[in-house]
Amino acid sequence: MALLRFPGVNCEFETARALHCGGAGVEWIEWGRRLDEGAFQGFVVPGGFSYEDRVRAGAVASRSEWVDALARAADRGKPVLGICNGAQVLVESGLVPGGEGHPVRLALARNGGSGAGGYLCRWTYVEVGAAAPGWLSALAGTRWPVPVAHGEGRFTSRDAEVRAAVESGNLGAVRYVGPDGSPAGDSAWDPNGSLGAAAGACDARGVALALMPHPERAAWLRQVPQDMDGPWGERRRLARTAAELMSPGPGQAIFDAFVRGARDAAR
């Protein structure tokens, strides 16, 4: 798997570890190096603050030659995952929601919801929709806790077709919910007031996923807060040994599904 290191990203180490735990070999692609999309099965753009989030989060990175290579890879069915700032890059480039020529039809605006007014860093819950396409379909119907850490994470669009697709769950494949699966809207579990409570949006084929929460920060059980509501919090409270604490956490499932999807696409 290729892990892209734009200037300013800061989540590459934990993302690489989660990919390794999912069974993938990882090659870091340093900025300034040519990206050969034919040499890799999948591509990950990690979180951080690429180019200091100048103009808008992800805007400068979205104009790089790497994004052209990602577009060619996605067109060939190779999975692409953007996490937080990586999600912003995919949206700013038009890779999500995609379409012929990758027009920009979706945006990530400043937080509303419980995170209105600035940067928000805390845990919430997400659920993968039953209609999630592509490699994410392996997680359809699952719900788990995950941390968010962003100031511009509110999915929105002026395009009526895109709005409807996100709200229906066809493109808004991952949604914010409460621990019991109840809608997150207007509650403390809603970090940004996103369209359709979307935590992640994908292209129509489910090849590229722009995911705002940070699953790499929930890849091990030890990372789950002991006071977390729901079964994952209970599992964390009952953990007593180092082996239990280092067992897979809720966020690891995303990386496992991504690696499996990339291998399936390569066959």
Side-chain angles (χ1 to χ4, degrees), residues 215-237:
E216 78 282 3
R217 300 183 187 181
W220 289 272
L221 181 61
R222 62 179 173 81
Q223 294 173 302
V224 177
Q226 294 193 46
D227 60 353
M228 195 76 208
D229 292 334
W232 278 101
E234 183 66 17
R235 190 180 305 184
R236 173 64 181 86
R237 288 187 288 274

Side-chain angles (χ1 to χ4, degrees), residues 1 22 79 135 138-139 253 255-267:
M1 302 297 162
W135 59 269
L139 300 179
F255 297 100
D256 293 347
F258 178 80
V259 173
R260 287 195 302 270
R263 288 176 174 165
D264 289 344
R267 290 186 180 133

Side-chain angles (χ1 to χ4, degrees), residues 114-184:
S114 61
Y119 183 86
L120 179 70
C121 182
R122 64 166 176 76
W123 284 69
T124 186
Y125 264 82
V126 297
E127 184 173 85
V128 180
W135 59 269
L136 195 60
S137 63
L139 300 179
T142 62
R143 182 172 66 249
W144 24 273
V146 66
V148 294
H150 59 252
E152 299 174 34
R154 178 168 57 89
F155 283 99
T156 187
S157 178
R158 293 182 176 180
D159 186 310
E161 181 182 357
V162 171
R163 290 181 64 87
V166 172
E167 290 176 331
S168 70
N170 290 333
L171 296 182
V174 186
R175 299 180 184 273
Y176 297 110
V177 295
D180 59 356
S182 59

Side-chain angles (χ1 to χ4, degrees), residues 197-217:
C202 60
D203 64 346
R205 294 182 300 158
V207 173
L209 173 66
L211 184 67
M212 283 309 302
H214 282 272
E216 78 282 3
R217 300 183 187 181

